[in-house]
């Protein structure tokens, strides 16, 4: 089981995408703000730097428009892009982390030990058992690689699907890859029957939602976790709807 308390509210890129309440997304400050709000989970985006470090950035380019992979971790830090290791070190151990892995085209040609999945496997090995961990990706090769590694332990694996990708394909794909969760775009998730099918397949369901109202609706339909951008409003909406929150 990934989410011990359901439905769980997951802070998208920390306290939310962009810079809600003045906390830039995917920053240490944003993750700490999410933790202070009482959330039990945050989501972050990981990719690799030119010198083989794992950094936290959603977009494939820096704020200056250069490919993230073309810059060293030190150069990226000067632009406000932190290391994964820094966030895991500073975030309270009670907070679970959903690591959304962003692979790059160089992962097709670089030596296997230098590819994003291999780097992440090593990093997570240092942290497994210290906090709840989930790895999600649009790239199924990352997930199958991690599943093949010995000692994966309690690290969950979930398949992300793009808007428009039919959930009737996403559920069997995740199940037949031996994963723990399916993470469809909210717009393709549909109704309770779809979520029930995922549960019958042994999968938990995590989905990003665009508003507190959609978060409530999908939680009531049985989603195990919702990833949100407006943390305070979502928690208030859950309370008003009488939903217990995995916080």
């Amino acid at each position: 089981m990934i989410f011990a308390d359901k439905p769980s509210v997951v802070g998208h890129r920390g306290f939310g995408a962009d810079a809600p309440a003045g906390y830039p997304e995917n920053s240490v400050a944003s993750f700490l703000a999410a933790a202070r709000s009482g959330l039990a989970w945050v989501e972050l985006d990981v990719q690799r730097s030119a010198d083989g470090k794992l950094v936290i950035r959603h977009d494939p380019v820096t704020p200056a428009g250069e490919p993230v992979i073309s810059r060293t971790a030190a150069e990226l830090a000067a632009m406000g892009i932190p290391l994964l290791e820094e966030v895991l070190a500073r975030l309270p151990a009670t907070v679970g982390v959903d690591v959304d892995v962003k692979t790059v085209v160089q992962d097709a040609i670089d030596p296997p030990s230098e590819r994003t999945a291999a780097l992440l496997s090593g990093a997570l090995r240092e942290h497994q058992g210290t906090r709840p961990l989930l790895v999600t990706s649009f790239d199924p090769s990352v997930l199958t690689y991690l599943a093949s590694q010995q000692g994966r332990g309690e690290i969950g694996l979930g398949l992300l699907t793009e808007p428009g990708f039919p959930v009737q394909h996403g559920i069997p794909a995740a199940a037949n890859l031996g994963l723990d969760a399916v993470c469809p775009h909210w717009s393709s998730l549909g109704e309770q029957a779809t979520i029930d099918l995922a549960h019958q397949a042994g999968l938990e369901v995590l989905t990003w939602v665009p508003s507190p109202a959609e978060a409530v609706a999908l939680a009531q339909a049985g989603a195990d976790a919702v990833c949100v951008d407006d943390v305070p409003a979502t928690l208030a909406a859950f309370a008003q709807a009488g939903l217990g929150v995995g916080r």
Side-chain angles (χ1 to χ4, degrees), residues 69-80:
I69 197 170
S70 71
R71 294 297 181 181
T72 67
E75 291 170 330
L76 295 169
M79 304 176 199

Side-chain angles (χ1 to χ4, degrees), residues 231-246:
V231 171
T234 301
L235 294 179
F238 270 45
Q240 185 174 10
L243 286 168
V245 181

